Amino acid sequence: MTIFNQNDPKRLTEDGVREDLQRQPHIFMKLAENALTVAESLRDNYFKNTASFVAALRRAIHAAGQGQRTEAILETANIPRLDWEMLRDEVVTFIDGGVGNVQISSQIPILLRVGSYMVRTGERNLAEREHFGYYPVILGDLEGGSKERSDFIDIVRITAELLGGLSALQRTPDLRVLMFHGPLVYLMSGYAGHTPFTEKDIDLFLDQYAPDRELGQNLKDEFLEQAKLDIYPQMTDRSDEWSERRIFEPLSWIAFLYRKLIQEAKIRNPRPVIVGVVERGKLREFSEKKLLERVFRGLRQKGNEDYFNKMYGRTDLKSPKNLLDRLGYTDTLLLAMILEPGQMSETWDISKYAGLREGNISLPGEAGTSRVNYAPLKSSQIGFPDIQGCYLHVSETTEPIRIEVFKELGGNQITEAAGRTYLYSRMLPGYGFPIGLDIADKYAHVPNWLTNAYGKLIKHQLGVSLQSGEISDAQMRRILIQAIYMTHRDWLFRPNN
Amino acid sequence: MSSTANVDKNSKYVGTIIGESTSREFRLAVAHETIREQDIIAVDAELRHPDGNQPPEQIRVWAKVQRIERLNPLFPSEAGHELAETRTDPFDTILSLSREMVTAVCQVLGAEPIDGKSGGKLDHLRYPPQPATRAYRPDSSDIARVVLGDLQEKQKRALDIATLSNRPEVDVLVDGHSIVTRHLAILAMTGAGKSVTARRIIEQLAKKNYPIVIFDPHGDYTGLSEVDGLKTRVKRYYAQFPIFEEDSETIAEIVNTLGYQLTDTMRSRFSDLFRAATSFIVDDPKEMKERTEWLAKAIGRPEIADYGVNPNMWLVANLAEAGELALRNDNGDENKAKLVELGWPGFDKYTKTDGRTLEGIKKRTYRAASALSRMEKTNQIVAKSAEPLPVDRKELVKYGQISIIALAGYTGDFQATIYSLIADTIFEARVTGELRLPTLLLLEEAHNFAPARAMTPAEHRAISTTKQIAQEGRKFGVGLILVSQRPSRLDETTLSQANSFIIMRMVNPADQNFVRKVIETLGEDEARILPDLDVGEAILSGQLINFPVLVKIKKSESEGEREEKDAFEELEKAYKDLRNNQS
Ligand SMILES: Nc1ncnc2c1ncn2[C@@H]1O[C@H](COP(=O)(O)OP(=O)(O)O)[C@@H](O)[C@H]1O
Ligand SMILES: [Mg+2]
């Protein structure tokens, strides 16, 4: 399949890299874009310099592979080759959230929906084989969360997706793979400071998630108990009040759900693979902390610290961070040029929680703010779990994708996840992304029904009313939600018979 | 509509209206396998009067499923290629196979009051049915009523020829009146069931005593006479080619083709000879006997005196021989004088050279006569009849009679000419009023009688006859049923005069396109299913029916001459007979 030949000496030259780039227009475009944004002095020879930089990286990796170099700068491996035959009778669930907008002058998100697609491979009875689920949340209904913030919708989506995943795991005793669209855990510090959800909000979420009320109630109670005993006291000096009001501080609640997920997975045998798959990621942590760190170390070792400054005719390219800042490289961009299709990078511990520190928060219905400390959530006891990840290069025409797993679930997670992600993605070679997530995405996508079929006024009214929670009549609300989904996608919601 | 009807409407649910709906077309989201193309379905609706004073009217909108679209939007073609590449069974993968979208595109047929009190007559719908309305499968009796439409009150006109293809319990009656007055075309490829359909219609019309004349090139209709109740009413005729109704040019042309080429000199003498032959036959039997005896003697063929002469090609040949002998024999003066007396123009001026010319004509004409006889013989065998066409061709048209004119055995031009002569006479007689009864002419292999591009004089004549009847027949009570397996070779003007159509299986794209072009009532989707129709299935379209429907034609009581038999079984049977006879 691959056009790269490991042993082709040309690969290791600047010309070889250029030739490869010409066959990968998406990378070429990225570089062209970068060339326009970097400093003028770097612009002229951007392509040439990138090519010679990449060639140097390839040579170093090659040398390590040949034993000519003691310290590897990047360990690559072939992605484990699985075939469908081997994976027969596996239950796999894909989770993806989508946002419904109303097009007025600006986009008002109306509701959020998480879609799930569960499939049992090898099963020929369609009713047994596939199950679709959806979990809509009308944003206007929520009392908590800081609606004025543009990332309000994200914390709602993260929560809903997580509940969708937890629900899938709990409902499916033989679930083998749980795959999320996007990072398994987001860079949480960005979401700090949102007004806590009320219990009523959580009930709205749980309404969709829990097969029965009791389970939902248990989940709430369990969190509130932990929050009261261990979490809130470490975060705020108003913890008594928080517990009394039964409020759900979003980050600690989300962290709790992650822990639940892991806890549930741990008691299963075999352990389900839980993985998040990220496309078009902007992360450069791997390049900065691993790849370039080793390169710089090697240069220092050889007394060659000025290598990059000479190459680019500058004086400020002294650290991986500087280099990446100035040249605009990201993990996927560099790895697209280094990893061959079918290869994966080494696994590393991704730092997700560095920014969790003190901040301000205002409680529901409260005008002022008070101090809150998010740092305790770095602890995997009461906070977020550790995450490991790696990059997979699926096909020549696509950028590498990143997969993330829970470190706590064991070393097998990443290999098992990589093999499956690769196999699932081979079904969409032009996209290079697991087709099951694509299916869940199409399913979760909230259509623009409102934009084409009805007048602007109605759209506006409907949007505003839903947004502001004005429509409280349950019947009416159901009709509206149904109306929003009344498109050619109706079939998705037809009952399984 | 009673309330119980509402209850079982649930079990008859077929789908829900989605997307944009118009008064002509709407789309239904349907469950898998619940519906078929050409199904007739209904949707209930409420129409408010614009003035708003009267209570809203409850109506039922009738529609027909034109096409069904099936799509798995979660299965990208890219994945399909990957499956093919790796020969993977999709069920072994994580691909989604369960979420197909099945959409039925429905054509609105019309609307009626919901109680069905308008008797099946459908009004134009002027306001689209409401999206999200449920569509259901109506009761058989309701379907039968709307398929029948106006015919309900005119049962006398109804012909029972078919059942609905997707609802076999529903009889489809068609309007016989428009068939016999406004022409019907039955178009399909060979073996699709045209002849069966035509016979079924004939059998039904016979019950109403309608006079019918069938031009039958293959003997497809001889079986009609074996049906109980028709036995005495079916008359089969074999066809003689009436050469003396043609001009000498035409006959010379026939001699050219069936004998050998006539030279220019021969051609110039042939018209004189033909005149002589024409005037040879007289009404007075005594005179006729005398002439015959003279002729037998003159050419030394005594058998002629025994059998008598007939107005045919043999007579022309005999006279040519008599002329030749009279000119060649030294003592032929007496016979020469006789021939002049018999009306051979300018024979007295003929020379010995003309004798050689007449010899040439003789040889060719005998040859043509024998070829023609052979055709006639074949024709007679296929017709299974010893009855020649009546001299007065108006006799073919009788109350309650089916006249079958066998044309088998004759080549195309002869068939066309025989047809033209008969059809012209009948039409003429209707125009002048000599013929009191209306009639229906059935043209099997109609492309031979109404070809799009006439190549020969005989075809030119046939097309002009057919075209005239197609255009004016309605005024004069002459109807046409055109049956053809090559519609694209049919004359367009003629075909477009037909107001009713029965279209059956058809795979040739040229024919499909032609049919689609000429028949306004045939929709694109109906045209599309033509290649997939089964034997005996047909789309009825035009005035014979309330709206186009897909039907299964009921089998005719009569059998065709050419019902398929196993060739090898037939061989064994024949061989057994042979051995039995020998021992
Ligand atoms: N309506 C019908 N029902 C059952 N069988 C039929 C029907 N129409 C035709 N057939 C079968 O197909 C054969 C061919 O039909 P025919 O009418 O001779 O075809 P065509 O005239 O179109 O060549 C018939 O012999 C009969 O066996
Ligand atoms: Mg036939």
Side-chain angles (χ1 to χ4, degrees), chain A residues 61-126:
Chain A
I61 294 166
H62 182 76
Q66 304 280 311
Q68 295 158 1
R69 193 188 157 104
T70 44
E71 271 174 77
I73 61 164
L74 173 68
E75 279 165 32
T76 62
N78 287 328
I79 303 169
R81 295 299 193 268
L82 303 175
D83 63 40
W84 295 107
E85 200 88 5
M86 299 158 67
L87 302 187
R88 202 172 281 163
D89 301 321
E90 277 197 0
V91 184
V92 186
T93 294
F94 300 91
I95 305 276
D96 186 27
V99 175
N101 291 323
V102 176
Q103 230 132 28
I104 313 172
S105 52
S106 69
Q107 299 235 326
I108 301 176
I110 289 190
L111 54 75
L112 177 127
R113 179 173 65 168
V114 168
S116 74
Y117 167 50
M118 191 208 88
V119 57
R120 187 182 295 272
T121 59
E123 174 62 62
R124 308 192 84 81
N125 175 349
L126 287 180

Side-chain angles (χ1 to χ4, degrees), chain A residues 350-370:
Chain A
I350 309 178
S351 156
K352 294 269 187 185
Y353 318 120
L356 290 175
R357 57 175 71 92
E358 287 218 0
N360 293 317
I361 198 167
S362 50
L363 300 192
E366 207 178 67
T369 62
S370 49

Side-chain angles (χ1 to χ4, degrees), chain A residues 153-443:
Chain A
I153 181 108
D154 294 317
I155 58 159
V156 178
R157 195 194 61 235
I158 292 167
T159 311
E161 283 178 349
L162 214 44
L163 279 170
L166 189 54
S167 153
L169 189 58
Q170 284 177 340
R171 277 181 226 211
T172 323
D174 54 350
L175 186 71
R176 190 71 189 82
V177 182
L178 178 60
M179 190 173 270
F180 291 90
H181 187 175
L184 189 53
V185 181
Y186 287 80
L187 294 176
M188 293 315 302
S189 58
Y191 304 103
H194 272 280
T195 298
F197 293 121
T198 62
E199 185 169 12
K200 194 169 145 248
D201 292 344
I202 301 302
D203 284 339
L204 278 177
F205 280 115
L206 292 177
D207 213 23
Q208 306 294 339
Y209 138 80
D212 55 84
R213 287 215 93 72
E214 201 185 332
L215 210 61
Q217 190 61 46
N218 288 346
L219 198 69
K220 274 191 316 189
D221 290 346
E222 192 182 338
F223 170 74
L224 288 174
E225 181 68 11
Q226 282 188 24
K228 179 178 162 188
L229 295 182
D230 299 315
I231 307 170
Y232 289 167
Q234 297 191 46
M235 293 176 74
T236 168
D237 38 21
R238 293 171 71 185
S239 71
D240 292 347
E241 189 189 342
W242 285 25
S243 293
E244 207 155 302
R245 289 182 60 182
R246 294 173 76 83
I247 55 177
F248 291 70
E249 187 284 311
L251 294 203
S252 42
W253 163 240
I254 288 171
F256 166 77
L257 293 177
Y258 280 120
R259 294 197 308 277
K260 276 306 280 185
L261 203 55
I262 292 168
Q263 189 189 345
E264 183 73 36
K266 266 179 148 174
I267 54 173
R268 300 281 178 90
N269 188 17
R271 257 183 208 174
V273 179
I274 301 178
V275 54
V277 183
V278 188
E279 53 175 337
R280 295 190 290 264
K282 294 200 171 55
L283 217 63
R284 37 176 252 200
E285 185 184 305
F286 183 75
S287 311
E288 186 182 331
K289 298 277 162 54
K290 299 286 164 189
L291 186 63
L292 292 187
E293 189 52 49
R294 291 170 191 160
V295 170
F296 273 86
R297 187 168 184 282
L299 292 173
R300 284 197 296 275
Q301 217 167 24
K302 290 188 223 151
N304 215 352
E305 292 92 334
D306 257 0
Y307 177 83
F308 289 109
N309 281 327
K310 277 187 205 141
M311 184 166 167
Y312 292 98
R314 296 179 70 98
T315 54
D316 57 350
L317 304 177
K318 283 183 179 154
S319 69
K321 183 172 184 311
N322 281 339
L323 186 79
L324 294 170
D325 282 348
R326 300 285 182 275
L327 291 165
Y329 299 144
T330 59
D331 287 352
T332 47
L333 189 57
L334 283 179
L335 288 169
M337 295 184 281
I338 295 171
L339 288 178
E340 298 174 36
Q343 277 191 332
M344 60 195 277
S345 75
E346 62 187 84
T347 304
W348 90 104
D349 294 341
I350 309 178
S351 156
K352 294 269 187 185
Y353 318 120
L356 290 175
R357 57 175 71 92
E358 287 218 0
N360 293 317
I361 198 167
S362 50
L363 300 192
E366 207 178 67
T369 62
S370 49
R371 294 298 285 173
V372 58
N373 184 11
Y374 290 100
L377 294 182
K378 289 177 183 178
S379 138
S380 62
Q381 301 307 310
I382 61 159
F384 291 100
D386 293 338
I387 296 293
Q388 288 188 316
C390 75
Y391 287 95
L392 311 181
H393 199 184
V394 172
S395 73
E396 191 186 15
T397 51
T398 58
E399 278 177 22
I401 51 181
R402 188 174 74 244
I403 58 172
E404 297 182 357
V405 298
F406 293 121
K407 193 172 183 178
E408 215 180 320
L409 291 183
N412 280 344
Q413 290 276 310
I414 205 90
T415 354
E416 291 197 281
R420 284 174 179 78
T421 304
Y422 180 68
L423 187 66
Y424 300 167
S425 301
R426 292 297 311 166
M427 283 286 159
L428 284 177
Y431 185 9
F433 193 67
I435 192 163
L437 287 176
D438 191 50
I439 291 169
D441 171 58
K442 283 194 176 123
Y443 181 74

